[in-house]
Amino acid sequence: MVARKFIVHHQDSNFNVDYDTEDGFDVFKFQLFSLTAVPPDDQKIFGVEDNRTVTHDSDLIEISDKLRLVSVNDQNPELDSGILKSDEELARMLQEEEDALMLQQFAVSEDSGQFEQRVRPYIDQILLYEDSHRQEAARKTVPVEKLEEKALVALAKEGNLNPSKTEVDHAFLLQLLFWFKQTFKWVNSPPCEGCGNETAIQGMGVANSSELAYGASRVEVYRCNTCSRTTRFPRYNDPIKLLETKKGRCGEWANCFSLYCRSFGYDTRLILDFTDHVWTECYSMLLGRWMHLDPCEGIYDTPLLYEKGWNKKLSYAIALAKDGVYDVTKRYTRKWHEVLSRRNLTTESSAANVLANLTRELRRNLTSVISELEERDRNEAIELEKSQHSQENDSLSLPGRLSGDKEWRTLRSEIGSDSLSSSSCPVRVCTDEHVSRIYDAFSPLISHLAEFSSKNKALEALQFIRTVLADIKKSPFKARRVVIDSNKIVELLPSFNPMLDALSLKSKVETNGKVEICLAGDNPVKASVALPVVFHALDDVIYHIKLSDNFNKSNLSWPLLKLNRICCGSVLASGEELPFGIATSAFDGTRMSKWEEPNGAKGCWLIYKAMGTHVYELYSYELMSANDAPERDPKDWVVEGSDDGGSSWRVLDEQTCQTFDNRFQRKAYKVKLQGFLANVFRFRFLAVNGGQAASRFQIGSIDLYASSNVNQKPVS
């Protein structure tokens, strides 16, 4: 351990920062964020004496104690050179590229026939995506309103309750990808059509007329291992047939998904990888560039997946669209000189000529948009060249191939890690005020039931409320509305209305005595975000009431009443699973998500910074086990608080040998050290339930509760 004190100059102020090397460079940047409000991703740190850039733990050990902090939003563009490779490395790359091109001239024929034969057949396929009949058929199979709601909820969870059309379109595309991943089925070998048991490949069959009608020139034939019946697996190329079958391998997956993308108006490309894979690209108006989407893996905007994760030895990645054919290999590699040595079908110039000729054919009748397309082509060419000189993100761990059975993936040498994860996480903001409001809203309801109902009557009333809320949730999200004809709801309304308000709903008693519950306000997404939280909170309330021996108003206390929950803070973690296991998932109040640290079993941490300048006396906290894998549950941990932005820490609580007997089990802990006011809290998870056999850590939720007599105080 090395402890150092730094003086950090930012704008016109100096900040004293204590640094412990056991915490790591990410925690140091979070400390600076607490003091200066410059997010870690926007920080550039330099030594004052030698102007040396600080980028790693080791730099902080070797450098002088005076540092300078600059925000990338304010600095000279020249400072962005940190993302580029060094001059020496760049020169080496350029020389290797030149050598590879020279070798190609002598070793590769200029005959482009073989290259064109690989590309041209796909043009007819991608033009099928422009057929209005196929597009309409595709749209009819998609639960559009459900995906729209999920897209808007995803944006709302990032704090964006009023997104632009461009943002909504981008979010909808991602939800379309996730839905397709769950809907389409991967085929290793088809199940027997007779008994449903496993089959084994027997060879290739001759396509019949009905199979040929949908482009299935290849038909695989399988024999059942149990009943010996023969099963055919036609490899359909017409995506309209794939809307029906919903199965295949990467060719069928990318083909069908590309049709879906075009059907919803996205500029779409089919990417042909000559090393036997196919995926999709769509142009994102939000990003202002083409975005990689792999429907087989459910992964997006991760172009180095194949080279870095699957260990593919790429050669050609060709993009085919209705308006052109493009060589986009450079997007998918950071080893261009190595790739060049494998591009041996024809010379680079001959390949470029083939693609240019095919593009001219496709654009023959597109004269009105030619200039726009050419401008986009030029911008993409610049982007692809720049990508070759950017540094790899070493903190990002890319998974090996996950689609297909393990034996097949092993034979292709595409086995790797099993997740997309990051060991250098951004600071994320918790958009969870609605969770605290829902927890608070249970207080008047529970108090009313405890005062006027028996335990059994209270449980009956809560089950009735659950039924009402379930009916509301099932109604269309843009016009949620139910009408209830029951005296029960009228009796409960005074104590139930705060809950409806927390859910962005409202009630109205009609003249006939019925009660209408509908949306409050003009933003239906608020209710969509809140409703999943209330169900899980309600289940927890019912659980605690069932456990109580004496349910009355005088005995109501935490954890049945979850008051003063701390919310809206910022979170930094030692690592996280992307995109669904990010750190803020631990604070969203639902069972449908979790924070997952892929390398956290032997130790990981999470830091929570209070919103603004507020400090809290932490009274208690709750942890909830996640949905699966009990071996990843936390076993030993320490909770710490800091009153100086994370420069120093006080131990608030410590737990050892803890176990979670069930999934989604909540365990409540009172903090041992009371009276300490902190603006930053840290959980250090030291061990998991599975011990050395596990590699991952996960937690379903973390809820922090402030003391009732000291909820918030501004820092003096």
Side-chain angles (χ1 to χ4, degrees), residues 150-161 163-164 167-169 171:
K150 287 188 173 185
L152 291 168
V153 166
L155 290 166
K157 286 185 174 182
E158 296 174 356
N160 188 354
L161 281 166
S164 65
E167 291 169 324
V168 173
D169 288 345

Side-chain angles (χ1 to χ4, degrees), residues 52 87 136 322 363 366 369 470 560 569 629 675:
R52 172 180 170 183
D87 290 343
E136 179 63 22
K322 65 182 178 66
R363 293 182 178 179
L366 301 176
V369 294
L560 175 57

Side-chain angles (χ1 to χ4, degrees), residues 373-387:
L373 292 171
E374 290 177 345
E375 176 66 19
R376 184 182 285 187
D377 293 347
R378 285 191 291 270
N379 291 337
E380 182 176 31
I382 294 170
E383 174 205 334
L384 293 178
E385 285 301 322
K386 286 179 66 176
S387 70

Side-chain angles (χ1 to χ4, degrees), residues 164-182:
S164 65
K165 182 181 183 303
T166 299
E167 291 169 324
V168 173
D169 288 345
H170 183 87
F172 182 86
L173 176 59
L174 300 186
Q175 294 302 324
L176 185 67
L177 173 71
F178 303 147
W179 168 81
F180 184 83
K181 170 68 175 171
Q182 297 299 317

Side-chain angles (χ1 to χ4, degrees), residues 209-232:
S209 57
S210 63
E211 292 164 341
L212 287 171
Y214 294 103
S217 57
R218 294 183 301 126
V219 178
E220 299 171 6
V221 179
Y222 292 79
R223 185 174 298 277
C224 180
N225 297 332
T226 302
C227 70
S228 298
R229 178 171 174 168
T230 296
T231 296
R232 297 168 67 84

Side-chain angles (χ1 to χ4, degrees), residues 431-442:
T431 307
D432 62 336
E433 183 181 6
H434 62 285
V435 180
S436 296
R437 291 185 64 208
I438 289 169
Y439 286 7
D440 288 344
F442 270 103

Side-chain angles (χ1 to χ4, degrees), residues 460-474:
E460 182 182 321
L462 290 172
Q463 291 291 356
F464 172 72
I465 287 173
R466 199 182 202 290
T467 302
V468 171
L469 293 173
D471 289 339
I472 294 171
K473 191 173 187 298
K474 285 186 285 188

